Amino acid sequence: MKILVLNGPNLNLLGEREPGIYGSDTLSSICQTISQEAQELGAECIFFQSNHEGALIDKLHELRHDVDGILLNAGAYTHYSYALRDAIAGVRLPCVELHLSNVHAREEFRHQSVLAPVCIGVVCGFGADSYSLALTGLVRHIAKKQAK
């Protein structure tokens, strides 16, 4: 089982960007942890981060036949990227939206996700553990579908 882990804008600055909100873990350390957890679950992760919306969409299109699901921390694109939403719907792969912070306890503009309606679930507010929780849920979802 292969999982595409997509990270959007500014996530390359994790560990130094607003640690009071996003924590002190770097994106690299989160990816290492997720990679190990994926192996324990019988999965493999492919990681990609970009600050550019089109690059995220291009990666989704490129790997749509090579992966079984998507973990997506789209950052600010969560709230307004209809192009990313359409790409997720178009590749027809199970996708879990995730966020380090509890977006519902933050500014009002962060309360609305245009991506959630095309995702199988949303995990937010658990810091770096949001990735682990999302990964576990996605792998279980895919395994159940494959068992049918």
Side-chain angles (χ1 to χ4, degrees), residues 47-123:
F47 298 97
F48 184 76
Q49 186 277 329
S50 180
N51 294 316
H52 305 282
E53 183 180 33
L56 296 169
I57 293 167
D58 287 344
K59 188 57 71 172
L60 274 171
H61 291 182
E62 174 190 337
L63 296 179
R64 71 186 182 278
H65 299 299
D66 301 326
V67 299
D68 301 293
I70 305 158
L71 292 183
L72 175 61
N73 185 343
Y77 291 139
T78 300
H79 315 293
Y80 67 87
S81 179
Y82 295 105
L84 189 54
R85 181 215 180 276
D86 289 348
I88 294 165
V91 299
R92 297 187 315 211
L93 291 167
C95 181
V96 176
E97 174 187 324
L98 72 100
H99 304 280
L100 296 164
S101 67
N102 180 355
V103 293
H104 303 288
R106 296 185 61 197
E107 304 92 341
E108 189 171 329
F109 74 88
R110 296 185 195 276
H111 298 182
Q112 178 66 37
S113 168
V114 299
L115 306 178
V118 294
C119 292
I120 62 166
V122 177
V123 176

Side-chain angles (χ1 to χ4, degrees), residues 1 41 134-146:
M1 181 184 309
L41 294 168
L135 175 68
T136 300
L138 179 60
V139 167
R140 287 181 180 173
H141 174 84
I142 293 167
K144 284 180 185 176
K145 285 191 109 173
Q146 291 176 345

